[in-house]
Amino acid sequence: MNLYLGIDFGTSGARGVVIDEETHCIQADVRYPFQDSSAAVTPKIWQQTLFVLVEQIPEELRRKIRAIAINGTSSTVLLVDATGNPVDAPLLYNDARGSLLIEHLRSIAPPNHTVLSATSSLAKLLWMRQSTSFSEARYFLHQADWLGFLIHGQLGISDYHNALKLGYDVEELKYPEWLEKLQIPIQLPKVLTPGTPIAELRPEIADKFGLRRDCLVCAGTTDSIAAFLASGAKLPGEAVTSLGSTLVLKLLSRTRVEDARYGIYSHRLGDLWLTGGASNTGGAVLKQFFTKAELESLSSEIDASIASELDYYPLLKVGDRFPINDPNLAPRLEPRPNNPVEFLHGLLESIARIEAQGYELLQQMGVDKLSRVYTAGGGAANNTWTAIRARYLQVTVVASVYTEAAYGTALLAMEGVTKVIV
């Protein structure tokens, strides 16, 4: 029986899920948390994490893995040399130093384009172009691209989910003329449909980990799209909220919407569009104030039917991307009550309010009417938060069929290979 491995790289660690071809059930579930947040920006740790995850999968299952796909955090990017070695530290998804080059980008890119964001991949690339290490670089890659390279050995390959914020035209399936006019002197990735088989595993990787020599590595995706694929959402109007370190909204629509003024962008998903945005609010803010045990115990004391009077905009640092796209937006976490239950209630309520504002904005922009919200990520397990969110959203809010992005990435690998075989 063929098995498929999906690997999810997030901000707090990585996870691997193995599924079977017949029932799509999980056969193995492995994880490796980063010891501290600084690990998230270290390619050496990424590589170590990738290999540790594979080693954790039982040997008898490894021999049956037919294909592997990897997702990474959107717009986490790095420069590498001709042999694939990083020439400098990567820039993470929320790194906004590219804001210094937005005016330059405005003179080149179409109005309100997805790249016109301080955290877009293209803004980061233009910032990197000014660094002294740029002369050593030969390829610009996303996190998922580089991790895939480590096991298949083909440099410079991406997917159109990761490449969207680089400026890749996902309707025409090519880099647009305005982007080519930038004359960037390094190789931009060759862009494939997510799930497309790229190559078999490097023989030394297959042999080292007891994997099949004919195991295929497929083009990956981003973590939030992988979470959507895992959710079970399939119809226009259905959406997925990922409540991880950040808050990510994805709504399936027949209409494509792009507007950088509000941090809104659309990913291609077959014949439909996955429209949404990502806010810097979310679970990382909660973890700043509460342990996991405290979140569970305090949440149980909150009456979710009663609105909190506290009005926060919970951020760890200045700046947000959606529904307010403002790199200078200040966190709002005052006043802070002495009662921790009240404080948590205010935080959960405020994040729910931002989520509702996001979906309302998407509908104002012309996407399909919201009909149901699936929830992925760690926040999906918080029943109190779910009840608060349902009060704001006024639609059914349910947990995703599978809540882990790694499961969606495993599905992507399976569908990419089985379609090719058929």
Side-chain angles (χ1 to χ4, degrees), residues 164 173 224 340 364 417:
L164 178 76
L173 298 179
S224 59
Q364 289 173 6
V417 170

Side-chain angles (χ1 to χ4, degrees), residues 159-176:
D159 62 88
Y160 61 56
H161 289 159
N162 272 294
L164 178 76
K165 295 179 187 177
L166 180 56
Y168 186 79
D169 188 329
V170 293
E171 281 197 89
E172 299 294 329
L173 298 179
K174 65 179 184 180
Y175 285 109

